[in-house]
Amino acid sequence: MSTVRETVEVEVPLHTAYNQWTQFTEFPRFMEGVDQVTQVDDRHNHWSTSIAGVHREFDTEIVDQLPDERIAWRTTSGEVQQQGLVTFRSLDATHTEVNLAMVFEPSGMAEKAADMTGTLDRRIKGDLHRFKDFIEHRGQEEGGWRGRISPG
């Protein structure tokens, strides 16, 4: 298993950063290798990715979601095995700290090589920085889901 952690400060209010992150279908706009995310229901998403020349499809489940604080997920099917947590912390009225932690198991030779060379780590960290650029450029969220999903 590999772990990636990254923190960025975004120049938008807490609710703006959090609300935009809940718009999973917009992830391809700032995440490299993510072709499409289909939101199945409040808890479940279907992902289509192309990373290191390999196309993968998998499903994720949100296991904990507390508005303006955190979203935790895990894969439930497909060749991709991962779990993650993104947290949000207000620094002041116009700045938010976004922390991302992911644990994943690379599958296949290309993904294992990309992991060993640090390519996957750099890509995931880059995705968080592209989120920063995306939301700061927009200045406001495109929507938001403020429901609570409790663990268990």
Side-chain angles (χ1 to χ4, degrees), residues 104-123:
F104 59 93
E105 182 68 45
S107 62
M109 298 234 335
E111 289 172 356
K112 288 179 182 178
D115 183 42
M116 288 177 60
T117 61
T119 302
L120 292 178
D121 183 77
R122 286 188 301 277
R123 175 168 283 179

Side-chain angles (χ1 to χ4, degrees), residues 37-119:
V37 179
T38 304
Q39 191 158 3
V40 177
D41 59 31
D42 291 344
R43 280 187 178 263
H44 301 94
N45 294 297
H46 180 78
W47 293 67
S48 175
T49 63
S50 299
I51 297 174
V54 178
H55 180 78
R56 300 260 192 252
E57 294 202 20
F58 59 95
D59 297 307
T60 58
E61 174 186 30
I62 297 169
V63 294
D64 186 15
Q65 185 167 345
L66 181 61
D68 292 338
E69 190 174 309
R70 68 182 172 269
I71 302 170
W73 70 93
R74 66 181 178 93
T75 54
T76 59
S77 69
E79 298 176 60
V80 175
Q81 297 298 313
Q82 65 171 248
Q83 58 187 23
L85 173 67
V86 61
T87 61
F88 305 84
R89 184 172 69 92
S90 179
L91 299 174
D92 61 34
T94 60
H95 294 85
T96 303
E97 182 180 87
V98 182
N99 295 286
L100 176 67
M102 283 182 62
V103 177
F104 59 93
E105 182 68 45
S107 62
M109 298 234 335
E111 289 172 356
K112 288 179 182 178
D115 183 42
M116 288 177 60
T117 61
T119 302

Side-chain angles (χ1 to χ4, degrees), residues 13-29:
L14 173 66
H15 69 273
T16 301
Y18 174 85
N19 284 348
Q20 184 60 52
W21 195 275
T22 67
Q23 301 305 290
F24 305 113
T25 59
E26 298 301 317
F27 279 13
R29 295 176 69 186

